[in-house]
Amino acid sequence: MTPTNILIVDDREENIIALEALLARDDIRIFSTTSPNDALKLAWENQISIALIDVQMPEMDGFELVEMLKSNPRTKNILIIFVTAISKDAKYAVKGFSTGAVDYLYKPLDPYITAAKVDSFIQLARYHANIRQKNEELKNFALVVNNSADIICAIDPQNFSIQNINPAIEKILGFKAEELTGTSIIDRVIEPGRVAFKSKLGEIIKDNLSFTVFEIQLNTFDKRIIWAECRASYRNKTIFLNISDISANKSYQQELIKSKEAAEYGKRIKETFLANMSHELRTPISGIIGLIDLLKKTPVNDQQSNMLNMLETSSQSLLGVINDVLDISKIEAGKFNIIRTPNDLHSLVNSVHNLLKFKADKKGIEFFLEIEPDVSRYIMVDSLRLNQILMNLLSNAINFTDRGYVKLKVVTLKNQNDKIKLKFNIEDTGIGIATDKLSSIFDSFEQAGKGGKYGGTGLGLTIVKKLVELKGGELSVSSQVGKGSIFSFTNWYELTKMPEKAIDTRPGKVLTPFNNVRILVAEDNMVNQFMLAKMLKDWNIEVDIVENGRKLIDKLPTNNYDLILMDTHMPEMNGYEAAKIIRMDFDEPARSIPIISLSAATLDYEQNEALSAGMDDVLSKPFQPYQLHEKIEKQLNKRGTKNPI
């Protein structure tokens, strides 16, 4: 058997090596390159059947490469499979399929799915190659017609009767050639498709088409229905048809469609589960944190104050675990965005150092920070995610170090025009990691610590790795048991000007009361009801509370409210539905009343759904009192009717 040629194009050598190892077998020949330009040359010089192409490449992305392949007659029939780590959003899939791809493989690759898909497309490529070979031979050897696996026939354009037909008709449809000679080819097509088939043949004659391809369904002698690919041409006042049985191919396509629909259904189920889990877990945490804040403002003795501090620490720790699980899920679902803005890198790194220094001091270890002089101060970076990466790596280093030191060092590797390549090095003298554990420390829920002595969920390093890769960087680790570890990540950053100074929104800021403000609250959780009522009344706000959207709709016309605070997940009628009714069915001024969503949702699409439903702003639970105060103040000032005293 002639080997099937497969081309792998990926700008990262390690990805190519992994795919080659996964696909290696005797009946295929693999060509690979990290350069799209070299890929064009390889495709031109070799009979490539299947190409696995990475979407994101620096000099030319996968979509552009495929467009060039499809525009060349010599390479247009290559079966394209995109290999990508970007969002599974429908717009990317549509773009890929419209470019000419037949399927997608999503990183990280599942070995079984990857091998199964490639094997199927190898079979499909061989099937198509076989058909093309037969068509070529038919042009030069009339003898091949009688031995062809396809139905080959000549049709009278006047009445569409079969003038000549080869013996393949008996194998495919079960009729003998002489039985069908002189009968109409239209009669072989299933009843619902006869009008369209006849119209297609008429179009071929009218436009004098030398070649066209379409699909039809045919009746067999034993009353079965098969799918067929029909290649037709009109020459010398005769219609020539070459008909292939593609039932197996169609069956495979239908299985692919079913698999895709099942995957999409599973994705929707997962997103629904994430939304519900976010709400069910974060809502009670929000109530606990809010109650702690309220208790701290009441007279308490030192012992009670210490217990409140411990309760707050435990609550924040639990919230951190919940956020880690949700972050992992959002990244895997492609719902995680990296948003780069101008930031002061030195201040950001110093803030992380200052936040964790107390933890190092408590353990009696040194905590060093070294920023080399040539490290640019102002860069475009997602400060929240960089902070998350550094906090995770440094917290781990401190946690696993009982003596010695932990050091964060930031260095410049390259400086090109308006871009800079930085390296963040986190070194410790801790317990170290065994060599056989290094490959698994980035897996979810895995720990390298002995017997779980050091606690944690094992999600921190997983999140770090995924965040670094999402930001386009590289993460590495080296370690020796008993001597310590070094975690490093590198990335390119765009240089920028000094960012505008942020407004001070510290939690300790004094929150001024409001004057003559009345707010309607819709919240089904009793603890959160109590917390919100107490918080708002402390700000001199008159408060009415209902349990769901239906009661809010009934309550709204009876009083003049300045603002609505509304949870999105509630029984009977949720916040989205209630907001839409207010915006569409109510008269002014109720129709324009500001609505702030107090939601435990963390997924972007849920927050966007709240805004699309007519809500003016979104505040995710749990929140600090000053955050709610700012939101209320902003909406009241925007309305221009109420202001704080």
Side-chain angles (χ1 to χ4, degrees):
M1 179 184 293
T2 303
T4 299
N5 293 338
I6 296 179
L7 174 62
I8 301 174
V9 188
D10 196 303
D11 63 319
R12 298 181 65 175
E13 190 69 30
E14 60 268 28
N15 291 341
I16 292 177
I17 293 172
L19 270 173
E20 287 178 339
L22 185 62
L23 302 179
R25 48 194 257 192
D26 294 335
D27 61 343
I28 66 172
R29 185 188 296 117
I30 298 176
F31 299 83
S32 63
T33 178
T34 58
S35 168
N37 289 321
D38 289 344
L40 293 172
K41 186 172 183 294
L42 285 170
W44 176 265
E45 293 175 350
N46 302 277
Q47 294 291 326
I48 301 298
S49 299
I50 300 169
L52 283 75
I53 299 176
D54 187 24
V55 172
Q56 291 181 305
M57 295 183 287
E59 58 180 290
M60 180 192 303
D61 68 30
F63 298 130
E64 294 170 331
L65 173 58
V66 172
E67 286 177 353
M68 296 183 70
L69 289 173
K70 291 299 182 181
S71 66
N72 192 311
R74 192 163 181 170
T75 57
K76 69 178 182 179
N77 292 320
I78 296 175
L79 298 176
I80 306 297
I81 304 174
F82 277 130
V83 183
T84 179
I86 62 175
S87 171
K88 299 179 182 178
D89 194 285
K91 66 180 181 181
Y92 294 106
V94 170
K95 183 175 181 180
F97 290 128
S98 63
T99 305
V102 294
D103 207 345
Y104 265 83
L105 287 172
Y106 294 98
K107 299 176 183 176
L109 298 176
D110 183 303
Y112 298 102
I113 292 177
T114 301
K117 283 192 174 185
V118 172
D119 184 66
S120 297
F121 283 112
I122 287 173
Q123 296 179 41
L124 184 60
R126 287 171 180 162
Y127 179 77
H128 284 171
N130 185 44
I131 292 176
R132 287 193 296 272
Q133 180 182 356
K134 289 176 181 177
N135 286 338
E136 186 66 23
E137 290 172 350
L138 283 172
K139 294 178 182 178
N140 302 300
F141 304 100
L143 183 62
V144 175
V145 172
N146 290 328
N147 300 312
S148 174
D150 300 334
I151 298 171
I152 300 173
C153 57
I155 305 299
D156 186 338
Q158 299 296 324
N159 55 15
F160 304 122
S161 62
I162 299 171
Q163 296 176 326
N164 294 286
I165 193 166
N166 69 336
I169 187 69
E170 186 172 357
K171 181 178 180 181
I172 295 176
L173 296 185
F175 296 95
K176 294 184 180 297
E178 56 269 23
E179 292 177 333
L180 297 183
T181 301
T183 65
S184 174
I185 188 67
I186 307 294
D187 294 338
R188 304 280 69 79
V189 179
I190 66 171
E191 184 63 44
R194 290 181 182 179
V195 174
F197 180 55
K198 186 175 182 179
S199 176
K200 187 67 178 178
L201 294 180
E203 180 184 324
I204 292 169
I205 298 168
K206 177 185 175 184
D207 297 336
N208 197 29
L209 296 179
S210 60
F211 184 75
T212 187
V213 181
F214 53 94
E215 294 179 354
I216 55 175
Q217 287 183 281
L218 302 174
N219 288 308
T220 67
F221 179 79
D222 54 359
K223 308 302 180 183
R224 291 181 297 108
I225 296 176
I226 67 165
W227 274 100
E229 182 181 75
C230 185
R231 294 170 296 283
S233 63
Y234 183 60
R235 296 176 183 175
N236 300 323
K237 297 183 178 181
T238 301
I239 301 173
F240 294 95
L241 298 181
N242 186 311
I243 302 172
S244 304
D245 183 356
I246 60 169
S247 298
N249 186 25
K250 272 292 182 180
S251 176
Y252 174 71
Q253 289 179 359
Q254 289 168 357
E255 287 301 316
L256 280 180
I257 292 172
K258 290 179 181 178
S259 298
K260 181 181 177 183
E261 290 174 346
E264 289 174 346
Y265 176 74
K267 180 182 176 183
R268 289 193 298 271
I269 292 295
K270 183 177 181 180
E271 289 183 351
T272 301
F273 169 74
L274 283 177
N276 291 335
M277 186 177 74
S278 172
H279 181 264
E280 295 302 322
L281 292 178
R282 291 169 68 91
T283 294
I285 291 294
S286 175
I288 293 170
I289 293 174
L291 289 175
I292 293 170
D293 183 75
L294 293 176
L295 277 172
K296 283 186 171 183
K297 295 176 182 177
T298 64
V300 292
N301 58 38
D302 290 343
Q303 184 181 18
Q304 290 170 330
S305 179
N306 289 334
M307 286 191 289
L308 284 174
N309 288 334
M310 287 189 289
L311 182 58
E312 183 176 34
T313 300
S314 298
S315 299
Q316 293 293 347
S317 176
L318 178 57
L319 179 61
V321 173
I322 294 169
N323 287 339
D324 281 350
V325 174
L326 292 174
D327 278 351
I328 287 291
S329 300
K330 286 194 288 184
I331 291 171
E332 291 177 348
K335 299 291 185 180
F336 203 92
N337 295 322
I338 298 296
I339 303 173
R340 294 178 174 87
T341 56
N343 278 279
D344 184 338
L345 176 64
H346 291 216
S347 295
L348 193 153
V349 173
N350 271 288
S351 296
V352 174
H353 178 262
N354 293 335
L355 281 170
L356 293 177
K357 193 174 188 310
F358 82 95
K359 187 176 181 181
D361 291 343
K362 188 176 179 181
K363 292 194 70 174
I365 61 175
E366 298 287 343
F367 186 17
F368 302 111
L369 171 61
E370 183 181 337
I371 304 176
E372 290 195 348
D374 62 344
V375 173
S376 299
R377 190 177 189 91
Y378 305 114
I379 62 172
M380 296 292 291
V381 63
D382 188 326
S383 59
L384 176 63
R385 300 312 169 191
L386 180 58
N387 183 284
Q388 193 173 2
I389 292 170
L390 292 175
M391 288 290 286
N392 266 304
L393 291 177
L394 288 168
S395 293
N396 266 5
I398 294 171
N399 193 33
F400 288 92
T401 302
D402 293 324
R403 62 177 179 270
Y405 67 87
V406 171
K407 182 167 74 173
L408 169 59
K409 185 176 181 180
V410 187
V411 301
T412 300
L413 297 182
K414 291 182 182 179
N415 199 327
Q416 296 178 354
N417 300 323
D418 59 345
K419 291 186 177 181
I420 186 171
K421 188 175 186 180
L422 298 177
K423 180 179 182 180
F424 298 83
N425 215 59
I426 293 88
E427 180 181 352
D428 67 66
T429 56
I431 62 172
I433 305 169
T435 303
D436 61 344
K437 295 288 186 181
L438 283 175
S439 61
S440 64
I441 60 172
F442 297 109
D443 295 338
S444 299
F445 308 104
E446 288 286 341
Q447 288 186 333
K450 297 178 181 177
K453 169 187 173 183
Y454 294 91
T457 61
L459 289 174
L461 288 179
T462 306
I463 293 174
V464 165
K465 185 174 188 296
K466 292 181 181 294
L467 285 176
V468 169
E469 291 174 347
L470 277 174
K471 291 163 71 68
E474 296 180 359
L475 177 66
S476 62
V477 58
S478 61
S479 186
Q480 285 185 283
V481 174
K483 292 186 177 181
S485 306
I486 300 175
F487 284 82
S488 302
F489 70 93
T490 61
N491 205 350
W492 283 95
Y493 297 94
E494 184 180 342
L495 299 176
T496 187
K497 297 179 181 179
M498 182 174 67
E500 295 181 6
K501 196 168 184 180
I503 299 172
D504 182 15
T505 56
R506 290 173 296 177
K509 181 181 176 183
V510 177
L511 304 178
T512 56
F514 292 87
N515 184 31
N516 297 324
V517 173
R518 189 170 192 177
I519 292 179
L520 178 57
V521 176
E523 168 65 65
D524 63 319
N525 184 279
M526 291 182 63
V527 175
N528 286 335
Q529 286 179 4
F530 172 80
M531 179 192 71
L532 284 169
K534 182 72 171 63
M535 193 181 297
L536 296 174
K537 287 176 181 177
D538 285 347
W539 299 337
N540 201 30
I541 293 174
E542 188 177 348
V543 184
D544 288 334
I545 296 179
V546 294
E547 295 81 18
N548 56 57
R550 173 63 60 196
K551 291 185 178 181
L552 181 141
I553 294 300
D554 295 337
K555 182 83 171 176
L556 186 57
T558 63
N559 295 283
N560 292 322
Y561 294 101
D562 299 293
L563 189 138
I564 292 174
L565 299 178
M566 181 158 54
D567 189 16
T568 50
H569 292 259
M570 295 182 292
E572 292 192 41
M573 180 184 291
N574 63 39
Y576 305 129
E577 296 169 328
K580 289 177 182 177
I581 290 174
I582 293 171
R583 296 301 185 226
M584 297 177 65
D585 297 344
F586 276 66
D587 296 326
E588 296 293 354
R591 174 181 290 185
S592 301
I593 187 170
I595 304 174
I596 299 176
S597 167
L598 300 182
S599 171
T602 59
L603 298 178
D604 290 341
Y605 83 89
E606 292 183 278
Q607 298 184 12
N608 292 333
E609 187 176 355
L611 297 176
S612 299
M615 298 184 185
D616 297 274
D617 207 342
V618 177
L619 182 58
S620 296
K621 301 174 184 174
F623 52 82
Q624 294 292 334
Y626 77 92
Q627 294 173 311
L628 177 59
H629 190 280
E630 285 178 355
K631 296 281 188 183
I632 293 174
E633 184 176 353
K634 177 183 175 182
Q635 292 302 323
L636 294 179
N637 287 340
K638 187 185 293 185
R639 202 178 191 196
T641 57
K642 305 290 180 184
N643 291 290
I645 294 176

